[in-house]
Amino acid sequence: QQQVKQSPQSLIVQKGGISIINCAYENTAFDYFPWYQQFPGKGPALLIAIRPDVSEKKEGRFTISFNKSAKQFSLHIMDSQPGDSATYFCAAEKETSGSRLTFGEGTQLTVNP
Amino acid sequence: GAGVSQSPSNKVTEKGKDVELRCDPISGHTALYWYRQRLGQGLEFLIYFQGNSAPDKSGLPSDRFSAERTGESVSTLTIQRTQQEDSAVYLCASSERGTGGYTFGSGTRLTVV
């Protein structure tokens, strides 16, 4: 019930294209869904997050789409750039319980020039 | 401090030696987490401290691993009798009240030779 499944494991996109990474969760009590971005040699950094009271959140070129009934959420990177090449992790938690995040397995994104 | 600070940034040790890794969380963050990340892999949860509550040690892989935290400040992760399979990046993160977005340090890269 605590798992978060992430796909694909790796993704190659051309510059200017749309990158889409998907996550599915099992625990319906989860109420906070962040995405983290990790560059080589660095720790993951919070990129964008959503709570289930909205179906979409957009920040610049990054959008989270959330489907509560399907228990799925996805990250869309519009106009992908080579600088977006990194590993992306989705995560989920029941925020008010003081529990910890459950992370997906990660997606290695490569954006070719 | 402004961010989560980890030391050392790199550590090379001989098999069988003990190592201590240090994490300085963001001031005021009550929650502190340790994760392990093997090369090209995801985030493996190790241990979670939340205020004065008993730590969640459910991710520690063996009794060679232990961690301490004094109050809401510095934490040390100790690995005794290191093995080659312990080679990885050890990441520390902190957050406010155990909820919401984590701030990760840059990690300690441990190499056991």
Side-chain angles (χ1 to χ4, degrees):
Chain A
Q1 268 241 319
Q2 295 298 317
Q3 285 187 323
V4 176
K5 297 285 190 182
Q6 184 172 345
S7 63
Q9 189 174 10
S10 62
L11 179 62
I12 299 174
V13 173
Q14 290 300 119
K15 178 181 176 182
I18 302 173
S19 303
I20 301 175
I21 304 170
N22 300 298
C23 282
Y25 62 97
E26 299 173 357
N27 188 343
T28 55
F30 286 152
D31 57 11
Y32 178 71
F33 304 89
W35 284 88
Y36 285 80
Q37 180 188 54
Q38 184 180 30
F39 293 107
K42 301 292 185 182
L46 180 63
L47 183 63
I48 186 173
I50 196 168
R51 292 181 173 83
D53 52 339
V54 296
S55 60
E56 186 175 283
K57 183 173 182 179
K58 183 175 181 179
E59 290 184 2
R61 296 184 294 109
F62 299 90
T63 300
I64 300 178
S65 296
F66 183 78
N67 186 329
K68 188 173 181 178
S69 61
K71 294 187 286 186
Q72 294 176 347
F73 58 110
S74 59
L75 177 69
H76 296 234
I77 306 174
M78 312 300 287
D79 187 26
S80 299
Q81 300 296 312
D84 297 330
S85 297
T87 300
Y88 293 81
F89 294 95
C90 64
E93 74 169 350
K94 179 172 169 55
E95 191 171 26
T96 54
S97 71
S99 65
R100 57 177 174 84
L101 286 169
T102 298
F103 283 91
E105 298 89 349
T107 296
Q108 187 166 345
L109 171 66
T110 302
V111 181
N112 287 328
Chain B
V4 176
S5 178
Q6 291 189 245
S7 60
S9 56
N10 282 284
K11 176 73 176 178
V12 180
T13 190
E14 292 181 352
K15 178 181 174 181
K17 300 281 190 182
D18 297 352
V19 295
E20 259 191 18
L21 312 181
R22 177 186 168 106
C23 174
D24 274 286
I26 292 174
S27 178
H29 279 191
T30 61
L32 186 146
Y33 316 82
W34 283 98
Y35 287 84
R36 178 168 69 179
Q37 188 173 33
R38 292 197 167 101
L39 187 63
Q41 301 298 308
L43 301 169
E44 179 185 1
F45 167 73
L46 296 177
I47 189 169
Y48 160 38
F49 296 90
Q50 170 58 62
N52 294 320
S53 301
D56 176 356
K57 304 180 181 180
S58 61
L60 294 178
S62 77
D63 59 7
R64 296 187 296 105
F65 288 72
S66 63
E68 292 184 350
R69 186 183 188 195
T70 305
E72 295 182 356
S73 60
V74 171
S75 175
T76 55
L77 177 69
T78 301
I79 309 173
Q80 296 179 311
R81 304 181 302 281
T82 52
Q83 304 295 312
Q84 287 186 326
E85 62 262 29
D86 299 334
S87 296
V89 175
Y90 290 82
L91 290 162
C92 175
S94 69
S95 70
E96 288 186 58
R97 301 182 307 278
T99 64
Y102 294 4
T103 301
F104 281 86
S106 293
T108 293
R109 181 176 298 278
L110 176 66
T111 304
V112 182
V113 297

